[in-house]
Amino acid sequence: MGAFAYVRWGHRVAQRPLGLARLHTEFRGHKAHVWEVKFSPDGSLLASASIDSTVLLWDKQGRVRQVLKHPIGVTTIEFSPDGRTLASAGYDQLIRLWRVADGQLVKTLPGHDGTVWAVTFSPDGKTLASAGEDKLVKLWNLDSGALMRSFPGHRLNVWGVKFSPDGRQLASGSFDNDIRLWDVATGRLLRTLTGHTEAVLNIDFSADGQQLASASDDKTIRLWDLRTGQLLRTFRGDGECVYSLEFSPDNRQLAAAYRDQTAVGEIFQHFLGISATGKRVTVRIWDVATGSLLHTFAQHADDAYDVAYSPDGQWLASASSDATVDLWQLRP
């Protein structure tokens, strides 16, 4: 199945193949919602985190290479820049560091006071940032496991945190609708980006560090100029909540994961269950320069929670509450 253009008539969606992508593998191994999916730095592995209390490491053919078991649901994962370590965290407030080669647990960090919603490595791999239900962003020394600094200021859950490409800044997005930019060395708040009208669920830096994209429950993606703090563009389609996004490696595209139903539709879906024949668009790819919608994907049978480009930009993975991960081969 490929990417689709679509026309909405009432509650029906007419799909037309565009040939822009090819479904390569559907990963079926999780037993519940898959919160996140990430590629290893060399692109050979994918990791997926699920509320079924596991992280699975896959090859591109959909074979499970490692099973990392947790005592409770996992909400977030990230590979270290050298690909040797995987960080994971979730509902039990702890951050775990795993050796990718053999799946051994290396270190446990005493997390947050509440669910940990995001983890991210610094570009040099020496520190880890985390964000959680306790409204805090925390910075950890990975050699010692010591907490280096906390960044207070958000008023509600922090769901997204990312290092800038040069490692000097941290960006965080929160249920308080704000994005905050922090100085890593001093902990000083550098800037607050305001404009979203609902929770900010995910953020991502462009590769040159000059732009930041944010995904929100207000159904929009916003693109910010970090030199000025000004809003450059708002991506507003007919989609619902935007759970996650990521820049393509060449910075030309933004892939985003969406809720598949309106609020009313979510209620009916909860009681009636998901339908393999009623699939809606859950992943979209946008042109960064123009704001145009380039690709749509309607493979998942429920919300898409996360998207990830491979390092070479030739693959796109998406994770869903239908308990699957889809891997798409993109047309050059």
Side-chain angles (χ1 to χ4, degrees):
M1 183 177 291
F4 293 89
Y6 62 96
V7 179
R8 188 178 295 274
W9 296 308
H11 295 291
R12 297 182 60 195
V13 177
Q15 299 173 351
R16 177 167 57 85
L18 295 177
L20 298 173
R22 179 180 67 87
L23 181 62
H24 181 270
T25 312
E26 187 178 71
F27 297 73
R28 290 186 174 273
H30 285 295
K31 298 177 181 178
H33 300 187
V34 185
W35 271 115
E36 285 195 358
V37 62
K38 296 290 184 292
F39 278 93
S40 61
D42 66 1
S44 65
L45 295 174
L46 291 92
S48 55
S50 172
I51 64 171
D52 68 6
S53 306
T54 66
V55 173
L56 299 182
L57 299 183
W58 314 76
D59 61 25
K60 286 195 181 80
Q61 285 66 50
R63 294 184 292 257
V64 176
R65 296 304 189 183
Q66 299 284 354
V67 179
L68 310 181
K69 295 183 179 180
H70 294 63
I72 198 168
V74 189
T75 58
T76 181
I77 48 174
E78 182 89 340
F79 282 99
S80 62
D82 63 9
R84 296 179 181 178
T85 303
L86 184 94
S88 64
Y91 298 138
D92 69 354
Q93 309 177 23
L94 299 177
I95 300 165
R96 292 173 170 83
L97 301 176
W98 307 83
R99 191 163 55 224
V100 171
D102 57 10
Q104 291 299 305
L105 181 63
V106 176
K107 192 174 294 183
T108 300
L109 306 177
H112 290 254
D113 184 14
T115 299
V116 182
W117 290 114
V119 291
T120 185
F121 284 91
S122 62
D124 63 9
K126 295 180 179 180
T127 56
L128 184 85
S130 58
E133 188 178 4
D134 57 7
K135 312 172 191 176
L136 295 174
V137 175
K138 296 189 175 186
L139 193 67
W140 306 87
N141 181 301
L142 292 179
D143 285 336
S144 65
L147 177 64
M148 299 169 62
R149 180 172 290 111
S150 290
F151 300 79
H154 282 295
R155 301 180 303 279
L156 294 171
N157 288 2
V158 186
W159 259 39
V161 64
K162 289 286 174 66
F163 278 96
S164 61
D166 63 9
R168 296 179 180 178
Q169 295 182 30
L170 272 173
S172 57
S174 169
F175 269 47
D176 63 14
N177 306 349
D178 290 346
I179 301 158
R180 293 178 178 245
L181 296 171
W182 310 88
D183 183 275
V184 171
T186 66
R188 182 168 61 94
L189 179 64
L190 299 174
R191 192 189 299 273
T192 300
L193 304 177
T194 60
H196 282 294
T197 58
E198 298 288 346
V200 178
L201 304 181
N202 196 247
I203 47 179
D204 194 33
F205 282 93
S206 60
D208 60 11
Q210 295 183 8
Q211 297 178 343
L212 185 85
S214 54
S216 174
D217 201 18
D218 66 10
K219 307 180 184 180
T220 71
I221 295 169
R222 294 177 187 246
L223 186 67
W224 308 86
D225 185 332
L226 293 181
R227 293 164 297 186
T228 65
Q230 296 301 305
L231 178 65
L232 294 173
R233 181 169 291 109
T234 300
F235 302 79
R236 191 190 307 272
D238 67 345
E240 296 300 317
C241 161
V242 192
Y243 284 110
S244 182
L245 49 69
E246 185 168 287
F247 279 97
S248 60
D250 63 7
N251 281 343
R252 297 173 61 186
Q253 299 173 0
L254 274 169
Y258 287 78
R259 182 185 296 148
D260 76 328
Q261 302 275 353
T262 63
V264 173
E266 288 286 311
I267 294 172
F268 279 104
Q269 186 169 265
H270 174 75
F271 287 104
L272 299 177
I274 61 176
S275 171
T277 61
K279 296 177 180 178
R280 296 170 181 262
V281 172
T282 53
V283 176
R284 292 170 172 84
I285 298 180
W286 299 88
D287 185 280
V288 172
T290 67
S292 301
L293 180 62
L294 299 176
H295 305 198
T296 61
F297 300 84
Q299 174 66 19
H300 287 299
D302 205 350
D303 301 350
Y305 285 147
D306 197 22
V307 288
Y309 279 101
S310 62
D312 62 9
Q314 296 180 19
W315 304 85
L316 182 73
S318 57
S320 171
S321 57
D322 67 7
T324 70
V325 173
D326 288 341
L327 178 63
W328 298 85
Q329 189 167 21
L330 302 176
R331 189 181 69 183

